[in-house]
Every structure is written in C-alpha cells, then in structure tokens.
C-alpha cells in the first residue's frame, strides 16, 4: 500500500518524497480487481493504474499471467466515459505491450476511438495502436493514419506524425508511402505539426543525400514558420554543408547566407542554433564567425540562465580553435564569474583562461581564488587544467600560477582533484625550467599532510628524478626522510628509494644518505628494510665493493623495458640454482592470447599448435612450438610473432589466418586452418605461395598438415630465408591446396579416394612494422635522456590532407608498429597540434624511442616532425626510411 501523506519536518524540506514509496506489486494487483466492478469508480481506477505504471517504470516485471490478467481487466474500462480514466487506459496498454493474440481484444475499441468525434480520443488511440500493432494490422489502418496526418486538429496530426517516426524503425516501407501527406503537413501553420512533419520527412529521405539536399534547398527559402522546425532545418542544413565540403570550391560555402539570416530570427532558440551551427562549420574563418560571436555575446547578458549557459559553453568550444575571435567577449564573461549558476561561472573562467592575455593573468587569479571554494571538485578540475594550459602559454607568469596551484593544493578536496593539481605542477616543472625549484618545494610541502598514498609515492618518485638536478638538492632530504618516520609502509618504501637516488646522483649527499638508509634497516616493515639493504649494497654503504657509477644509475633510473606481468610470471617459474635470474630471459612482448584460434580452446587440439595449459606469453608458446619442428629448430631465437592476419572472409568453407614469425634471418608463416564443412575431410593440406613480389625472400622449408577434420584447427608452415639484418618487405600470394574426401554423415568415416582441390586465399604482406617489437617505456622522459643524442635523427614530413589529426596520428603509429607511451596516442577533441611518444625494440634487440610532433592547419594539411633516438645509427635512419617510403 502507498505510504500515507504526512507533513514533512522543517529539517527534511530538501528530501525527495514519493506517495508511492513502499508499495508492493502483490497488493497493487489485488487492488486491480476494482476494474471488474459493475459500478466503476473512475477515480479509484485511475489511482490503481497510476500505481501499476509506477511499478513498471521502477523496473518491476510482471509475469505473463499477471500481465494478461491486468490487460484483460483494463480493456473493460473502455465502457467508462470518463476522459481522465480513458487517458490512463491508453498509457497502461502501451506499457503492458500485449502479445499479438491479445491485441485483437482491444483493437476494435481503439479503432473506434480513432474515428471518434473527441480529438483527445483520436490522438491517443493512434499512438497506442501504432505502438502495439504489427505490420498486418498496420496496412488495415494505414488509410486512417494518412488522413490523420493532414487532419485540421494539430494534436491528431502530431500524434500520427510521431507514430510514423516510431513505425519507420519497424515498418519503413509502409511509412515511406506517406511522403505526400507528410510533405503537406510540413506546410502546416501549427508549430508542433510542422516540427514533427519535418523530422519524419528527413528520416524518410535520410539515406538519399540528393533528396535531403533538395529538401533543405526548398525549405530554406522561407516556408518554415515554427521555431522548433527552424532549429531542425538548421541542423539538417549543417549536415548538408559538411557533406558538400569536399566538393565545394574554396571560399564557396553553400547555405551560409541562410545560417547568417537565422541570426536575425525573432526566436532565441533559432538564433542560438544558427550561431552554434556557424561555429561548428569545418574550417570556419574569423569573418564567418564574427556575426555568430556577436549574438552569443548578447546572450551572455541575458536574464535567462539557460541562454547564458548555452552561449558561454559555445564560446568555450570556439576558444579552443579560435581564441582571438572570442576576446571581444571577455568583459562580459568576467561578469559571469560571480554568476549564481556554478556551471556558467566555471565555463566563463575556463574560457577566459584560454583567451586572456599575459597582462590579465593576475586579475583573473584574484577573481578565481574567491570562486574556487564555492564549486564542486569536478568543476575545480576543469579550472586547474585550464590554468595549466595558461601557464604553458605564458611561462613568464609561472610564479603567480604556481602559487595559486600550491594554495588550492592545501585546501580540502578529493583524490581526483588533488591528482589534477599535482599532475599540473609536475608538467609545469618539466616544461618550464625556471619553475622547477619552487614547484618541487610546493610538492614537498604538500606531502607533509597528504592523505593519499598514491599521490605521495608518485611525488616521491618524481622528486627522486628532478630533485638531484636542482642547485641545492640537500634541502629536499628533510622532507623525504620525514616520510620514513611519519607515513605508512608503502610511502616509507618509496621514500627509501628516493633517498637512494639522491645518494647516487649527488656525491656530497652520499654520506648523509648512508646514515639515513642504515636507520631504515630497523624499520618494522620488510619492504622498507629490504630496499634499504639493497640500496646500501648498491651504493657501497655497507662496505661492499661499489658498483660503477653507470651501473648504479642504470639500476636506479633505467627504464624497465619488460611488461610487469611477464616479469612476474618468469620470477614465479624461476627455480633457485647457482645461476642468477637473467632479466634478458623475460619476454618483452605484451601478453596476449596464446596461438591463433580462440575457438580451439574448447576443442581437442590437433597435434601441432596445441595451446599450453598454463597462461604463458605468446612468444613463449610460439617459440616452444617452432623449436619442436626439426625444419625450423636451427633458425635461432624468435624475435617476434605477429597477430593473426585473416586470409579468408567470415563464414566461408575454409577459415585460414596466418601468423608471421620473425627470426634474425628467416620468416616463418604459420597458417592456421579450420575446415567448416562437416561432410569433408581434408588431407595433405599445404599453402602454395607465390613470392615473385618478394624478391629478397627464398623458400627453404615447409611442413604440410596431414589431416584436417571438420571444425578441428590445424597448422601448416612455410619458411623463407632473407638477408640477415635487412628488414626485407614483400607481398606473397597464397593458395590453399589439399586432397578432399567425402565423409559419411552416419558413420563419420571418410572415403578412401579423394580429389585434389585448391582454394584461393588473400595476399599476405611483410611490412617494416613486422621487424619492430612493441615494448612499453614507463618513464619516457628518463629513457629519452638516458639514450642520449648520439644517434638521434630529426626530420620533418608533410602528410598531406587528412580528415583529422587523430587519423594522421593513428596512421603513423600503425606504420611504425611501435608502442604508444603515457597515453599519448589519445588526442583531445579539436586538437590542432599533438605530441606522441613511441617506444620499441628493432630486430637485433636495438632499443628505439620516437617523438612525433603533429600540426594541422585550416586546410587540413598535416605536418609532422619525427625525432628518433636508438642504440644504433642505422636503426634511426631505418625508422626515417619507413616513414619516408610509407
């Protein structure tokens, strides 16, 4: 039963209250028996239907029996003449969605209402019928629906049009026959009818670009009166402009005059829609933007919050690509910083930070300081990111901006907010050399009271990298050692590592670091004691033989170039012996599913290629498989195995994919084959390869597949020799050849005689990326500096016209086959420039680091600067050759 209505206490005024709180389905179904009373109580019946609708909308499910009983009971309510109850009946029938055999019961009543003299009955009956009916019944009422579309009553016409929009998803052929009536409804004087008619007409024609263009052309001449329809038309016009952008001449933009004319419309929604459409035009110029910016500036001073919000949000987006065009609005936006709506104030501040000049920074900081305490963390993060961008734009203002970040870092806030501030300070320290010392001190002061373990460890790690490079590293030691006494075990261990890095890089601090590390030997935590012992041994603080400086620095600062999951697996598999654990034995390839066939895991493996039971890296599994084949056992260590490349279309008679195994002077193709025809057995399966377009490769060995039963994956191999140390490329044509034998479906036995047959496969290419192994670097900056500029090669390239900067970045990443680092493969929306960091290992186990800098201009021309560092001069040149020839 529903809770009784009670007077709320004064201290509960802000709490939500529902009169249906606590009602149970069983009790409501019992109440539904009131529908069967001889004397219907309309008010009581409406209340029960309301409760049923509430339960359905809260996710309550009715069984088939329960839904049927309620449905049949509800149909009896059609005998009531109460208009309010009839409307509730329409709603409950729509929600119950009766089955096809039940619909017949109510169809006659609905069709009667559809032809009623009461317009309210007609409109609702149309909506319900179109919701619950199928295609068969729809053809019977189609004539009535066509008439309703052009009905003089706008409520009826809109109901028919909206129903048409829904029916277009399930019965498109029927709805498309209504084009003439819908076209007539577009000319209606009723605002809502014109809006719905235009929406339906566009959906009918949306797959015909020429028809949509003609529709837009005819309607932009001034026949649309409804503001809602006008907004729709502006959106369709923008779509046509985007699609015709490739064919239009430079400077010739169709329909721009129409959009500009809409800026003078009397309806605010139309003005805003037109302004937003202009700002989102591809390659929009400052001249085209000016009228749109002007009307948005007027909206900034509107008394309506929704208009202020819409205007400032649009200007915020424009500021990302055309900051100078928005500067005229800065004075108006400064007044919005004190707006009661915090979303508006946040957008105003971030826009000002994007468009402000160097002289306005101090004034903005004063205004923002008072504002920050009044907004939620999610808005604060947006402001922090905008401040970071401003500081990088005006590096001479780093003191004011760094002090601001430091002050808000000490205030209350959640983890994500504090992390955003710390990340911003770290980026400023890295990119603005003058900000290093003050920034590090701000971070040291923060970890004194930091409640987040993750942030403390990250700051300590960063301090160990940058602190020793400052003019006075000793001033940070106190902050670091305090963490050893006052923090949890995780932070204490991180502090020990940071102390060791100072001792390794600053000779004058080494005796002091030794003393502090020896004190850590008495810590209560095993990890802290172990780290202290390890670092004392490494640095020579325990009286042992000191490693060379280069060894110490490589140990403490060198990047771990193996995935942690692979290292963990190798350590677990290592058995204690006289031979120490060899880090070079850890596979460098990122772990993925072993071998090619996913669906083979649940089936019996066919001899070769049986996947190992324990999870191992792909390279390990493949290397074990290939070394077991005598023909390939002398090829040496496997460098890389590619992901499977499909050579057949899905759902074909035979499924074949190939894995490319790269050795120092050989390439082995592993063809994974599956026979998908139950009535056939394939024998002596081999792939014949034409290598005429791969002149540097010569075939040296092959291993056929003796038998390939139905749905049991198997492998056949082919090996090629290539010049050692040369990343040879080429194209290979493949033909699957075999002897096919018919299989008796009843006995499962194959016939003795078979027929030779073949099946054409897709071509296969060996590309430069096949000779590069994706190996992540977890601190790219350190790895880049450690590699040194000895074999650095830098050049610039033009990549031509691209649809977006994202497309250009992805193309180069795929071409090189290197591993993106630190999430730099992800671009911000509307980016005009981007830097991408890549790492990997070139064949011959040569480490490679790549820094890509991209830029795109207004004509979509992309330029790229490529900087490569490696351990070998020839490899750096080879990476440039790949890009130059790609």
């Amino acid at each position: 039963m529903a809770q009784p209505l009670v007077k709320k206490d004064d201290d509960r005024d802000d709490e939500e209250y529902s009169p249906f709180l606590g009602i149970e389905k069983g009790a409501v179904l019992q109440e539904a028996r009131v529908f069967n009373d001889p004397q219907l109580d309309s008010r009581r019946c409406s209340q029960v239907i309301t409760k049923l609708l509430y339960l359905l909308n809260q996710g309550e499910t009715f069984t088939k029996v329960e839904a049927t009983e309620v449905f049949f009971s509800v149909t009896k309510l059609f005998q009531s003449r109460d208009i309010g109850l009839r409307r509730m009946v329409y709603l409950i029938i729509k929600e119950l969605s009766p089955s096809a055999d039940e619909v017949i019961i109510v169809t006659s009543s609905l069709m009667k209402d559809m032809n009623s003299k009461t317009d309210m009955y007609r409109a609702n009956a149309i909506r319900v019928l179109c919701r619950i009916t199928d295609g068969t019944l729809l053809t019977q009422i189609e004539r009535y629906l066509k008439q309703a579309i052009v009905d003089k009553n706008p409520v009826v016409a809109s109901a028919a049009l909206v129903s048409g929009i829904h029916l277009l998803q399930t019965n498109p052929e029927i709805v498309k026959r209504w084009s003439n009536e819908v076209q007539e409804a577009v000319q209606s004087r009723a605002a809502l009818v014109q809006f719905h008619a235009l929406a339906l007409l566009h959906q009918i024609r949306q797959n015909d670009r020429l028809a949509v263009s003609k529709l837009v052309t005819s309607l932009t001449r001034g026949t649309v009166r409804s503001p809602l329809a006008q907004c729709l038309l502006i959106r369709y016009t923008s779509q046509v402009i985007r699609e015709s952008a490739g064919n239009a001449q430079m400077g010739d933009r169709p329909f721009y005059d129409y959009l500009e004319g809409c800026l003078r419309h009397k309806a605010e929604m139309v003005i805003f829609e037109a302004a937003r459409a202009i700002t989102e035009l591809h390659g929009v110029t400052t001249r085209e933007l000016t009228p749109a910016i002007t009307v948005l500036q007027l909206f900034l001073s509107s008394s309506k919050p929704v208009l202020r919000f819409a205007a400032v949000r649009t200007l915020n987006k424009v500021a990302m690509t055309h900051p100078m065009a928005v500067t005229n609005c800065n004075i108006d936006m400064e007044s919005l910083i004190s707006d009661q709506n915090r979303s508006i104030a946040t957008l105003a501040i971030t826009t000002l930070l994007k468009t402000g000049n160097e002289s306005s920074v101090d004034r903005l900081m004063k205004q923002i300081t008072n504002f920050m305490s009044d907004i939620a963390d999610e808005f604060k993060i947006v402001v922090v990111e905008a401040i970071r961008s401003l500081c990088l734009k005006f590096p001479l203002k780093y003191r004011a901006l760094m002090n601001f970040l430091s002050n808000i870092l000490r205030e209350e806030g959640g983890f994500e907010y504090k992390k955003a501030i710390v990340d911003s300070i770290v980026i400023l320290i890295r990119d603005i050399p003058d900000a290093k010392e003050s920034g590090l001190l701000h971070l040291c002061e923060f970890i004194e009271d930091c409640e987040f373990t993750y942030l403390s460890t990250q700051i300590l790690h960063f301090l160990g990298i940058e602190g020793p490079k400052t003019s006075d590293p000793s001033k940070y030691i106190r902050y670091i050692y305090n963490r050893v006494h006052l923090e949890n075990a995780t932070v204490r261990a991180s502090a020990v590592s940071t102390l060791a890095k100072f001792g390794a890089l600053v000779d004058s601090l080494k005796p002091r670091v030794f003393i502090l590390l020896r004190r850590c030997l008495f810590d209560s935590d095993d990890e802290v004691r172990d780290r202290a012992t390890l670092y004392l041994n490494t640095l020579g603080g325990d009286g042992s033989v000191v490693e060379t400086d280069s060894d110490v620095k490589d140990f403490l600062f060198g990047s771990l170039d193996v995935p942690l999951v692979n290292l963990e697996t190798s350590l677990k598999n290592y058995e204690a012996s006289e031979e120490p654990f060899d880090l070079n034995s850890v596979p460098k390839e990122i772990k993925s599913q072993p071998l090619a066939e996913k669906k083979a895991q649940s089936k019996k493996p066919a001899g070769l290629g049986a996947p190992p039971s324990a999870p191992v890296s792909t390279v390990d599994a493949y290397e074990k498989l290939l070394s077991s084949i005598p023909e390939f056992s002398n090829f040496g260590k496997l460098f890389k195995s590619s992901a499977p490349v499909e050579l057949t279309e899905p759902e074909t008679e035979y499924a074949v994919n190939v894995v490319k195994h790269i050795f120092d002077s050989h390439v082995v193709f592993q063809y994974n084959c599956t026979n998908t025809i139950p009535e056939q057995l394939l024998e002596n399966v081999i792939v014949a390869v034409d290598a005429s377009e791969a002149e540097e490769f010569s075939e040296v060995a092959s291993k056929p597949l003796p038998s390939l039963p139905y749905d049991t994956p198997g492998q056949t191999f082919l090996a090629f020799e290539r010049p050692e140390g040369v990343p040879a490329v080429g194209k290979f044509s493949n033909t699957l050849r075999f002897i096919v034998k018919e299989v008796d479906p009843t006995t499962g036995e194959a016939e003795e005689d078979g027929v030779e047959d073949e099946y054409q496969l897709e071509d296969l290419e060996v590309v430069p990326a096949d000779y590069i192994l994706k190996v992540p670097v977890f601190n790219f900056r350190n790895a880049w500096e450690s590699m040194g500029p000895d074999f650095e090669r830098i050049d610039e390239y033009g990549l031509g016209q691209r649809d977006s900067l994202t497309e250009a970045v992805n193309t180069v990443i795929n071409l090189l086959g290197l591993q993106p680092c630190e999430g730099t493969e992800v671009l911000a929306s509307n980016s005009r420039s981007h830097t991408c960091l890549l790492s990997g290992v070139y064949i011959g186990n040569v480490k490679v680091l790549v820094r890509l800098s991209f830029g795109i201009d207004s004509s979509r021309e992309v330029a790229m600067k490529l900087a490569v560092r490696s351990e070998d001069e020839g490899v750096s040149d080879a990476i440039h050759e790949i890009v130059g020839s790609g």
Side-chain angles (χ1 to χ4, degrees):
M1 294 292 291
Q3 295 278 349
L5 289 170
V6 295
K7 184 180 183 299
K8 294 185 288 183
D9 297 330
D10 292 340
D11 59 347
R12 297 178 58 194
D13 286 346
D14 295 334
E15 294 184 16
E16 294 183 359
Y17 178 79
S18 170
F20 303 109
L21 189 65
I23 64 173
E24 297 179 357
K25 182 178 74 171
V28 177
L29 290 175
Q30 289 289 332
E31 289 185 68
R33 294 180 179 179
V34 72
F35 302 156
N36 300 316
D37 290 349
Q39 299 293 326
L40 289 176
D41 183 343
S42 299
R43 185 172 179 275
R44 181 67 177 146
C45 290
S46 295
Q47 289 177 344
V48 175
I49 292 178
T50 303
K51 292 179 182 179
L52 289 168
L53 290 170
Y54 173 80
L55 290 172
L56 288 168
N57 280 281
Q58 291 299 309
E60 189 74 58
T61 55
F62 288 3
T63 65
K64 176 69 174 174
V65 174
E66 291 170 344
T68 301
E69 288 180 356
V70 171
F71 173 72
F72 280 115
S73 299
V74 166
T75 57
K76 298 177 182 179
L77 300 180
F78 275 101
Q79 59 187 309
S80 172
R81 296 184 178 275
D82 186 272
I83 295 179
L85 178 58
R86 183 66 60 90
R87 297 181 70 180
M88 298 301 294
V89 170
Y90 293 137
L91 286 173
I92 192 65
I93 291 175
K94 281 175 63 179
E95 290 297 324
L96 288 173
S97 297
S99 57
D101 54 339
E102 295 169 348
V103 168
I104 300 172
I105 305 300
V106 77
T107 299
S108 58
S109 298
L110 290 172
M111 291 185 70
K112 181 180 177 183
D113 283 355
M114 196 167 66
N115 294 288
S116 169
K117 294 180 180 180
T118 306
D119 290 331
M120 193 279 295
Y121 285 2
R122 294 169 61 202
N124 284 290
I126 289 171
R127 289 176 181 271
V128 177
L129 263 177
C130 292
R131 172 71 177 270
I132 67 175
T133 191
D134 58 9
T136 306
L137 180 60
L138 190 60
T139 55
Q140 299 177 23
I141 63 173
E142 183 182 4
R143 178 168 60 89
Y144 299 108
L145 293 174
K146 284 184 176 182
Q147 291 174 355
I149 289 174
V150 293
D151 196 275
K152 292 180 180 179
N153 188 297
V155 176
V156 175
S158 276
L161 290 165
V162 171
S163 298
I165 292 172
H166 293 304
L167 289 171
L168 194 63
Q169 311 302 319
T170 54
N171 298 277
E173 296 305 319
I174 294 177
V175 178
K176 286 178 181 178
R177 297 200 293 259
W178 306 349
S179 291
N180 292 336
E181 287 78 11
V182 177
Q183 188 94 41
E184 185 178 341
V186 171
Q187 308 303 322
S188 172
R189 291 182 175 275
L192 213 55
V193 174
Q194 193 173 50
F195 169 64
H196 290 141
L198 179 56
L200 178 55
L201 191 59
H202 178 264
Q203 286 199 24
I204 291 173
R205 300 183 180 181
Q206 63 182 348
N207 295 322
D208 186 344
R209 289 177 58 179
L210 182 59
V212 172
S213 181
K214 287 181 177 178
L215 173 66
V216 169
T217 303
S218 63
L219 293 178
T220 51
R221 292 170 184 165
T223 57
V224 177
R225 302 179 187 85
S226 163
L228 287 169
Q230 192 89 354
C231 290
L232 266 187
L233 182 57
I234 290 170
R235 294 185 182 185
Y236 301 152
T237 303
S238 299
Q239 177 188 343
V240 173
I241 293 174
R242 282 194 301 272
E243 291 173 351
S244 61
N247 302 324
Q249 299 294 323
M250 291 300 293
D252 177 23
R253 197 188 295 278
F255 302 113
Y256 175 79
D257 290 339
Y258 166 72
L259 294 179
E260 189 177 15
C262 289
L263 296 175
R264 295 181 288 275
H265 198 277
K266 61 183 179 180
E268 291 169 336
M269 71 170 75
V270 176
I271 296 172
F272 171 72
E273 194 68 40
R276 189 180 68 169
I278 291 174
T279 62
E280 292 177 353
L281 290 176
H282 182 74
V284 63
T285 64
T286 304
R287 184 187 64 80
E288 292 171 328
L289 273 176
T290 301
I293 299 294
T294 302
V295 299
L296 290 172
Q297 185 176 4
L298 293 174
F299 284 170
L300 291 176
S301 55
S302 171
S303 59
K304 300 176 181 177
V306 67
L307 278 180
R308 298 198 302 275
F309 176 79
V312 74
R313 185 175 66 167
T314 305
L315 290 170
N316 185 276
K317 291 180 180 178
V318 175
M320 294 179 184
T321 52
H322 297 81
M324 296 306 296
V326 185
T327 52
N328 291 336
C329 306
N330 282 3
I331 296 175
D332 298 275
M333 280 190 287
E334 284 189 27
S335 64
L336 294 180
I337 293 178
S338 57
D339 196 285
Q340 291 183 346
N341 187 307
R342 298 289 85 184
S343 298
I344 295 175
T346 305
L347 285 167
I349 284 177
T350 54
T351 308
L352 285 167
L353 291 172
K354 293 172 187 173
T355 61
N357 52 41
E358 198 163 1
S359 61
S360 65
V361 170
D362 294 327
R363 187 178 73 255
L364 279 175
M365 288 300 102
K366 290 179 182 177
Q367 292 177 298
I368 295 173
T369 302
N370 300 326
F371 163 80
M372 291 292 281
S373 59
D374 298 332
I375 59 174
D377 279 5
E378 57 184 309
F379 295 127
K380 291 179 181 178
I381 292 172
V382 175
V383 175
V384 167
E385 291 172 349
I387 289 173
R388 179 178 69 203
S389 301
L390 184 69
C391 193
L392 295 174
K393 184 178 178 182
F394 303 119
L396 294 178
K397 289 291 183 180
Y398 79 88
R399 291 186 186 277
L401 296 171
M402 188 72 82
N403 287 334
F404 174 80
L405 291 175
S406 174
N407 290 334
I408 62 175
L409 190 58
R410 298 191 189 97
E411 297 174 359
E412 293 295 323
F415 171 76
E416 292 297 335
Y417 172 47
K418 293 298 179 73
K419 182 177 181 296
I421 301 172
V422 170
D423 289 345
S424 297
I425 294 176
V426 166
I427 290 171
L428 297 182
I429 291 172
R430 286 178 174 172
D431 293 354
I432 304 176
D434 292 340
K436 179 178 290 186
E437 304 230 359
S438 62
L440 289 175
L441 279 176
H442 289 318
L443 291 178
C444 287
E445 291 168 358
F446 169 62
I447 59 173
E448 293 280 290
D449 301 309
C450 180
E451 57 183 306
F452 302 109
T453 298
Y454 173 82
L455 290 181
S456 295
T457 56
Q458 292 302 302
I459 290 172
L460 286 167
H461 173 72
F462 181 69
L463 192 60
I465 297 169
E466 298 293 338
K469 301 175 185 177
T470 59
S471 59
D472 184 13
S474 61
K475 61 186 175 185
Y476 305 110
I477 296 295
R478 175 175 63 85
Y479 294 102
I480 300 169
Y481 188 63
N482 283 346
R483 300 304 96 214
V484 177
H485 287 294
L486 305 174
E487 290 286 358
N488 58 49
T490 303
V491 178
R492 296 204 304 274
S494 183
V496 168
S497 298
T498 304
L499 281 173
K501 291 174 182 177
F502 273 78
L505 293 177
V506 185
D507 290 337
S508 61
L509 291 177
K510 190 172 288 188
R512 184 178 175 188
V513 169
F514 286 162
I515 295 172
L516 299 178
L517 288 178
R518 289 192 188 102
R519 292 178 183 173
C520 297
L521 295 175
F522 302 100
D523 193 274
S524 60
D525 183 72
D526 291 342
E527 174 77 10
V528 177
R529 293 197 304 273
D530 289 348
R531 288 199 187 193
T533 304
L534 173 66
Y535 293 135
L536 280 169
N537 180 274
T538 304
L539 296 172
D542 60 350
S544 61
V545 178
V546 185
E547 305 281 349
T548 65
D549 282 349
S550 61
D551 290 338
V552 170
K553 291 176 183 178
D554 186 58
F555 173 72
L556 290 173
F557 298 99
S559 60
L560 184 65
D561 57 356
V562 295
L564 290 176
V565 65
N566 291 2
L567 178 60
E568 181 184 6
T569 303
S570 298
L571 286 170
K572 286 180 177 178
N573 295 334
Y574 171 69
E575 296 180 1
S577 63
E578 294 182 359
E579 293 188 9
F581 177 78
D582 184 9
L583 191 63
N584 293 324
S585 66
V586 180
K588 295 180 179 179
E589 188 175 81
I590 297 174
K591 184 178 176 182
S592 60
Q593 180 164 350
L595 302 184
E597 301 283 354
K598 291 183 180 179
K599 63 180 180 180
Q601 292 187 356
S602 60
K603 301 182 181 294
K604 183 179 178 180
L608 295 173
S613 57
V616 295
S617 74
T618 310
V619 171
D620 280 346
Y622 282 135
E623 192 163 29
K624 186 176 180 180
L625 168 63
L626 294 170
S627 62
S628 67
I629 303 173
E631 292 88 341
F632 312 142
S633 58
N634 62 344
F635 285 179
K637 186 173 177 62
L638 177 64
F639 173 70
K640 178 184 178 180
S641 297
S642 73
V645 179
E646 297 296 334
L647 299 182
T648 55
E649 295 292 332
E651 308 301 328
T652 53
E653 302 97 309
Y654 312 110
V656 181
N657 63 45
V658 61
V659 178
K660 295 174 278 188
H661 302 293
I662 309 297
F663 294 85
D664 285 342
S665 58
H666 294 84
V667 175
V668 176
F669 296 150
Q670 173 185 329
Y671 295 93
N672 302 302
C673 310
T674 303
N675 171 19
T676 63
I677 304 177
E679 299 82 12
Q680 288 186 358
L681 170 68
L682 307 186
E683 292 184 347
N684 196 25
V685 180
I686 190 72
V687 176
V689 174
D690 177 6
S692 57
E693 295 185 59
E695 298 177 353
E696 295 182 275
F697 295 82
S698 57
E699 185 176 335
V700 293
S702 64
K703 185 169 183 61
L705 178 62
S707 176
L708 187 63
Y710 164 68
D711 207 23
T712 303
Q715 291 80 32
T716 176
F717 299 84
L718 204 60
F720 288 84
E721 189 175 20
R722 60 171 182 78
E724 187 171 355
V726 177
V729 297
K731 180 184 287 188
F732 301 82
S733 300
N734 304 284
T735 304
L736 185 67
R737 292 180 178 169
F738 47 83
I739 296 174
V740 59
K741 294 183 177 181
E742 296 295 326
V743 175
D744 188 335
T746 56
T747 63
E749 295 182 358
E751 297 179 356
E752 293 186 3
D753 297 328
V755 179
E756 291 187 0
D757 200 356
E758 62 181 39
Y759 188 82
Q760 190 63 44
L761 305 175
E762 298 288 338
D763 291 345
L764 171 68
E765 285 189 275
V766 174
V767 296
D770 290 324
Y771 299 99
I772 299 174
L773 195 62
K774 289 185 176 183
V775 177
V777 168
F778 300 102
N779 190 322
F780 188 90
R781 183 185 179 91
N782 283 345
W784 182 266
E785 292 178 356
S786 300
M787 187 79 71
D790 296 343
F791 301 126
E792 182 176 8
R793 295 292 181 270
I794 302 175
D795 206 346
E796 295 181 355
Y797 300 88
L799 304 184
Q801 278 197 339
R802 300 282 175 171
D803 289 339
S804 65
L805 202 59
T806 301
E807 181 203 341
V809 172
N810 291 336
T811 300
V812 177
I813 291 175
N814 293 333
L815 176 65
L816 293 176
L818 290 162
Q819 176 70 37
C821 300
E822 301 177 5
T824 54
E825 74 277 16
V826 180
L827 280 74
S829 58
N830 300 318
S831 293
R832 311 296 294 179
S833 62
H834 184 69
T835 299
C836 185
L837 310 176
L838 308 175
S839 68
V841 174
Y842 196 79
I843 190 164
N845 285 322
V846 181
K847 294 180 182 178
V848 182
L849 299 175
V850 170
R851 192 193 298 269
L852 300 167
S853 299
F854 295 88
I856 187 170
D857 61 18
S858 57
S859 60
R860 293 185 292 174
E861 291 283 343
V862 178
M864 180 185 75
K865 181 180 179 181
L866 169 63
V868 183
R869 287 188 180 183
S870 73
E871 299 171 331
D872 185 280
E873 181 179 6
V875 172
S876 297
D877 292 333
I879 297 296
H880 277 277
E881 288 175 11
I882 293 172
V883 174
S885 60

